[in-house]
Amino acid sequence: MIALQQWWQSLVKREQIVVAILTIIVVLLTFQSLVWQPLYQGRDNARNSVDKQAQLLSWMNQQAVVAKQLKASSSQVNRSSQSISQRINAAAKRTKIEINRFQTSGENKVQVWLDNADFSKSLLWLEALQKKQGVVVDSITVSETNKVGSVAIRATLSTN
C-alpha cells in the first residue's frame, strides 16, 4: 500500500487526474458487466418465459374447448369382432397417427405410447376409438414436447 501511495505522489497532477478518471471508468465498466448486465439478462429471460407460458396456456385453452366439444358430441359405437389391438391400429392408420410402442394387458386392455404426435390428430384418434370402436381411455398422460403442437402420450385403453 505504501508503494502505491509513493507511486501516486510521484505522478504529476495531470497524470493523477488521468489515472483517477481511468480508475473510475474501469470500476464502472466492471460494475456494469458483473451486476447490471446479468440483472437485465435475467429480467429479459423471465419476460420471455412468461410470454411462452402465456402462449402455451392460450393454446391449451383452445385445445380444451376442442376436447370438450369432442366429448360432448355423441354417436353410435360400432362394436367390431376385431380385437382391441386391431381396432386401435386401424384407427391409428386412418388418422395417420404413429404408435411408437404397443403393449397388451389381457384381452381387453392395451397400453400405447405416442411420441411427437400431433395433439389435434391424437384427439380425433381417441374420439374415433371411443365412438366407433368401443375403446375407452382408462388413463392417459399427455406431456408437451419441443415441437409446437406435438405431444407425448402414454395411454391405457380398454373395451367396455
Side-chain angles (χ1 to χ4, degrees), residues 46-121:
R47 283 182 180 168
N48 290 339
S49 177
V50 167
D51 290 343
K52 287 180 182 178
Q53 293 298 322
Q55 289 173 354
L56 178 61
L57 177 62
S58 173
W59 180 78
M60 290 297 284
N61 285 335
Q62 291 171 355
Q63 298 308 317
V65 169
V66 171
K68 286 178 183 177
Q69 289 172 346
L70 291 175
K71 186 177 181 181
S73 64
S74 63
S75 73
Q76 197 66 294
V77 175
N78 177 18
R79 304 210 187 263
S80 173
S81 62
Q82 296 177 327
S83 71
I84 185 171
S85 301
Q86 291 171 330
R87 292 187 228 173
I88 290 171
N89 282 326
K93 285 180 185 176
R94 280 192 299 275
T95 54
K96 297 179 182 174
I97 295 282
E98 181 183 343
I99 298 174
N100 297 92
R101 186 171 170 209
F102 196 92
Q103 181 177 347
T104 58
S105 302
E107 289 184 25
N108 297 335
K109 196 174 262 191
V110 172
Q111 293 178 328
V112 294
W113 287 261
L114 307 173
D115 296 326
N116 292 318
D118 182 84
F119 184 74
S120 299
K121 285 183 180 180

Side-chain angles (χ1 to χ4, degrees), residues 101-146:
R101 186 171 170 209
F102 196 92
Q103 181 177 347
T104 58
S105 302
E107 289 184 25
N108 297 335
K109 196 174 262 191
V110 172
Q111 293 178 328
V112 294
W113 287 261
L114 307 173
D115 296 326
N116 292 318
D118 182 84
F119 184 74
S120 299
K121 285 183 180 180
S122 300
L123 286 179
L124 293 173
W125 173 63
L126 291 171
E127 177 192 30
L129 282 175
Q130 183 176 353
K131 291 184 177 183
K132 297 177 182 173
Q133 302 296 332
V135 177
V136 295
V137 177
D138 287 342
S139 66
I140 189 166
T141 302
V142 180
S143 56
E144 69 177 314
T145 62
N146 292 336

